Amino acid sequence: MTTTPRHVLRLSASLVAASLPAVLLSGAVARAGAMWALAEGAQPYWVPSEGLLLYGLVPVALLSAVVLFLAPGLLLALAAGRATTVAIWLLSAVPFSLLSAIVVLALSRSMLPAMAHGILPGLLMLGCIGVSAVIAKFAIDRRSRPWPFTQRDDGFPLALAGVGVTLLYLVLAPKFLWENFNGDGAHAFEISRLLLRQPWPFFPERAGVVATFPGTTSMLFAFPNAWFIRLFGPIEAAVRLPFLLYLPLLALGIQALAEEGGRRLERSTVGAIWLGLMAFVFAMAFSASYSPYHADIALPAVQDTLLLVVTLGFLHAMVRREWVWAASFGLLMYVSLPSGLLLMGFWLLAELAVVRPRPWRAATFVAITLAGCMVAAGVFVAGLGWSGQPLPGGEYGLSRTIADVLRIDPTNWRRAVYVLVGGAIFPVCMLFAWRRQDEVARRVTAVVLGYFLFFSVQARFSLHHMVPAMLLPLVVAVRLRPESPAAALRYRWMWQGTAVAALLLSLPESFAISTSARRLGMAVAQQVGSYEASDPSVFEAADLLGERFPADWDPAVPTRAFGGSALPWLHYAVEGPPGPTTNYVLSRADSSRSGAMPPSAASDAFRLDVLDEGLHQEFLGMRPPANTDAWIYRVPRSSLFGSGGPNTVDLAKLLRRLASRVGLRASGTEGT
């Protein structure tokens, strides 16, 4: 069936109608987030007294926001002829929707106050739907385009996605709305909020720790985050709710690649994909963190899930040999995470290892895409430097990456357990059914195994590094489902049974909602500058808090002292003069406090005053729940922070020793 102008009109009207609640109810999410004190109640996961807001208006606004974000991309993907199936249509909408989000952010910066949110930005977003509808109508008039809804079950994946997103929000509402930021979550928030004032999410180097991230290979997720901040306001939920946008796209991306060249998915298989994602969801929501206190959905869950979405788009385009789409998704992979480079590289190797005759054209294309991304990134950074704008952070810089790669510990067998459980067990087992796999499944299997082996020996390791190895096996499992009804039923039962077991293993030891960082932050008064304006001086001064509180990686945290990152404490700090709950004052070194008392910590430009040392000791003595993760995913701190265990081998040191010995032998001085 081809798309008609009437289809475009009805689709556009439906998308606008479904998007309106997000604009009209945008304030409901902020009101719900302001009820953070409920997180300290006996039952934060069930608050019937606020049921209409928490379990009615907020999920409606959330689902509507998902539609609003995707709507321009859906219309443009339809115009591009990418609606051959519902799954391909949704996956193809991703680049267009990301581009429209960037356009909305640019228009908002030029037309609205920096922190304006709600209805006015929402109208701009609705305007993007209108422009996209005009483009789609023009394209349909010029040439026929496929229509995605041709069979009775075509709408089922979308309906299931809506139900899945709603249920996950209802189950995890306090995690989205009320939990205080940890260091990573606050970092994600600050760089995303920066995009309301400038085109790139980079702080100047003088801002301190906050300027170390992101880099050119880790910045993509900040743009949709900023779009959500424009809609819902500068609240915690705005940088966590994108996770619920990417999950349906992840499921549909798996479906698109699983259906390629094969039969369409049955309803039961679509349901199995969603059930298989649940262990991953809870692993990321509760266990994927560098903080000893709690995981923050804002980072890494949002960033890693977006990487998998664009990776599935790249793999799907490569299987179909659609070069323009593969290049587009490849660029998105590159700016998502450094893992995107690895995944593209392993796909290149998989093409050469699996496909016969060897696809030299495809391999060359991937190599050119990789090289082109790196060259473009170099030109981009040079352009930023030439124009005097802040440069990307160096957290994923080349020197650090090489150092991490050369420090190995091949004895960490638990990393296979992380992948097995996080991947719902059964799909990961299907990687070893090599003889039954077709060419597509074998390429995916080769990518997963190569990726897993790369990270399985790294001394520095975090759970989120294994996300691609957890999720890509779902593609293989779907493609291997039997055609015989009896065999297919047994297959599904095995999949569903192991998925439930994996979900149970992924549940945290405690569902407690962390509020300790908020409590400490509210005791801080900062008089340095405007936090709302993302003044770099404010962040530079906040680093002084690290001189009175240990960092996450300090051996004293969490058993002997409370510690963490200064970024969440700054987020919850009070701007202005000290109040009745203030115990820490951040100010400039030349402020009126300069002669009052010796500072507790100081730099050339700033000072930190502790008003009551006894109260400071009480904060240091806070012992919030520290085991809010699942034991099955627990990563040793030696691996988490890179020091390595007793079996760690530093290949860089070995190479230097070898080079030194060779040099001594060559000079004839060995043994003298």
Side-chain angles (χ1 to χ4, degrees):
M1 179 185 294
T2 58
T3 303
T4 66
R6 191 172 184 179
H7 282 141
V8 175
L9 180 61
R10 286 182 174 178
L11 177 62
S12 302
S14 299
L15 292 174
V16 170
S19 299
L20 277 174
V23 178
L24 300 177
L25 297 176
S26 58
V29 180
R31 289 198 304 275
M35 298 176 176
W36 58 266
L38 294 172
E40 299 179 334
Q43 296 291 340
Y45 288 90
W46 176 238
V47 187
S49 61
E50 300 294 342
L52 177 61
L53 176 62
L54 297 179
Y55 313 125
L57 299 181
V58 171
V60 169
L62 165 62
L63 279 176
S64 181
V66 170
V67 175
L68 178 58
F69 183 89
L70 291 174
L74 291 172
L75 289 164
L76 294 174
L78 189 71
R82 300 291 297 178
T84 50
T85 69
V86 168
I88 294 174
W89 180 40
L90 268 290
L91 190 60
S92 302
V94 172
F96 292 122
S97 293
L98 289 171
L99 180 61
S100 68
I102 293 172
V103 170
V104 166
L105 290 173
L107 291 174
S108 298
R109 282 194 298 270
S110 62
M111 299 171 61
L112 300 173
M115 298 309 295
H117 60 272
I119 291 181
L120 290 179
L123 293 176
L124 282 176
M125 297 166 189
L126 290 172
C128 277
I129 299 179
V131 172
S132 301
V134 171
I135 294 173
K137 172 65 168 58
F138 178 77
I140 296 304
D141 288 341
R142 288 174 60 88
R143 197 174 68 183
S144 63
R145 301 291 197 278
W147 179 246
F149 300 102
T150 58
Q151 299 182 19
R152 187 180 61 180
D153 286 345
D154 283 338
F156 179 75
L158 300 181
L160 185 58
V163 172
V165 165
T166 303
L167 289 178
L168 283 173
Y169 162 76
L170 293 176
V171 170
L172 298 175
K175 290 284 290 184
F176 286 105
L177 295 174
W178 299 329
E179 191 156 50
N180 57 220
F181 281 132
N182 66 15
D184 286 338
H187 211 148
F189 175 81
E190 298 302 349
I191 64 170
S192 302
R193 190 169 64 99
L194 202 59
L195 289 169
L196 305 186
R197 298 180 176 277
Q198 62 185 51
W200 308 110
F202 309 132
F203 276 91
E205 188 176 358
R206 63 186 176 86
V209 173
V210 75
T212 61
F213 173 84
T216 53
T217 59
S218 52
M219 66 179 180
L220 180 63
F221 81 112
F223 293 91
N225 279 3
W227 184 95
F228 273 83
I229 293 174
R230 271 296 186 196
L231 182 61
F232 293 135
I235 58 176
E236 292 95 332
V239 291
R240 293 169 177 164
L241 292 176
F243 184 56
L244 296 179
L245 162 66
Y246 304 143
L247 276 175
L249 295 173
L250 179 61
L252 287 159
I254 292 168
Q255 178 177 343
L257 188 54
E259 287 182 335
E260 186 56 39
R263 65 187 193 276
R264 301 283 287 272
L265 267 62
E266 311 81 8
R267 289 190 175 194
S268 57
T269 306
V270 176
I273 291 174
W274 272 93
L275 187 59
L277 290 175
M278 291 303 101
F280 158 76
V281 168
F282 278 84
M284 299 304 287
F286 289 95
S287 299
S289 177
Y290 293 93
S291 167
Y293 302 112
H294 71 101
D296 196 328
I297 293 172
L299 193 69
V302 167
Q303 188 178 32
D304 283 86
T305 310
L306 177 58
L307 168 67
L308 258 293
V309 170
V310 297
T311 296
L312 287 164
F314 173 79
L315 301 186
H316 182 262
M318 284 300 303
V319 168
R320 294 166 66 102
R321 300 305 192 232
E322 294 170 336
W323 307 119
V324 173
W325 284 93
S328 300
F329 279 110
L331 176 62
L332 295 176
M333 288 173 69
Y334 180 85
V335 296
S336 293
L337 268 175
S339 300
L341 281 169
L342 278 177
L343 291 166
M344 278 193 279
F346 283 125
W347 181 263
L348 186 156
L349 297 177
E351 290 272 7
L352 295 176
V354 171
V355 180
R356 294 292 182 272
R358 285 193 171 88
W360 295 111
R361 184 183 180 190
T364 302
F365 171 82
V366 176
I368 292 173
T369 301
L370 282 166
C373 287
M374 289 186 280
V375 170
V379 173
F380 170 67
V381 173
L384 289 178
W386 177 80
S387 61
Q389 297 186 56
L391 298 179
E395 182 171 337
Y396 294 120
L398 182 60
S399 59
R400 177 173 174 176
T401 301
I402 292 174
D404 287 342
V405 168
L406 292 178
R407 297 185 74 253
I408 64 172
D409 181 0
T411 63
N412 278 314
W413 58 269
R414 282 181 61 89
R415 296 177 188 184
V417 177
Y418 304 151
V419 172
L420 185 67
V421 178
I425 302 175
F426 183 75
V428 179
C429 294
M430 290 299 97
L431 296 177
F432 299 98
W434 183 264
R435 292 181 180 275
R436 291 180 52 203
Q437 294 176 14
D438 59 16
E439 209 170 63
V440 174
R442 286 183 175 181
R443 278 179 280 180
V444 174
T445 295
V447 169
V448 172
L449 294 179
Y451 184 90
F452 169 77
L453 290 173
F454 179 86
F455 277 106
S456 66
V457 298
Q458 301 301 312
R460 185 174 183 269
F461 174 82
S462 179
L463 179 63
H464 77 97
H465 293 156
M466 285 301 183
V467 166
M470 293 177 186
L471 297 181
L472 289 177
L474 286 164
V475 175
V476 178
V478 176
R479 292 189 71 88
L480 288 182
R481 69 195 191 283
E483 294 192 24
S484 162
L489 181 63
R490 291 192 298 270
Y491 193 85
R492 286 197 302 273
W493 275 112
M494 291 175 63
W495 186 342
Q496 292 165 0
T498 59
V500 171
L503 173 58
L504 294 176
L505 289 170
S506 300
L507 297 179
E509 292 188 11
S510 169
F511 283 85
I513 300 300
S514 180
T515 59
S516 53
R518 187 191 302 270
R519 202 176 313 140
L520 174 57
M522 293 173 68
V524 177
Q526 74 87 8
Q527 303 172 343
V528 175
S530 174
Y531 167 78
E532 183 181 287
S534 299
D535 183 348
S537 300
V538 175
F539 294 90
E540 183 184 5
D543 288 344
L544 288 175
L545 290 166
E547 297 191 20
R548 295 309 310 269
F549 289 94
D552 292 322
W553 55 83
D554 192 294
V557 178
T559 55
R560 301 194 303 276
F562 177 79
S565 166
L567 287 177
W569 306 333
L570 177 63
H571 175 71
Y572 299 112
V574 177
E575 189 170 308
T581 62
T582 299
N583 194 52
Y584 307 92
V585 180
L586 283 168
S587 59
R588 294 185 179 272
D590 57 358
S591 68
S592 59
R593 302 191 62 84
S594 294
M597 65 181 73
S600 178
S603 64
D604 292 341
F606 309 103
R607 60 182 283 157
L608 169 67
D609 292 289
V610 177
L611 305 184
D612 185 335
E613 189 63 32
L615 185 55
H616 172 65
Q617 293 303 318
E618 289 184 23
F619 279 116
L620 276 175
M622 288 194 300
R623 298 293 182 267
N627 291 323
T628 57
D629 55 357
W631 67 270
I632 197 77
Y633 296 120
R634 201 156 292 156
V635 179
R637 290 171 66 83
S638 58
S639 295
L640 200 59
F641 297 114
S643 60
N647 299 312
T648 296
V649 178
D650 193 331
L651 296 179
K653 287 184 178 179
L654 292 178
L655 290 172
R656 284 195 294 268
R657 287 180 187 173
L658 179 61
S660 177
R661 289 184 178 181
V662 171
L664 289 173
R665 286 180 180 177
S667 63
T669 59
E670 186 177 23
T672 60

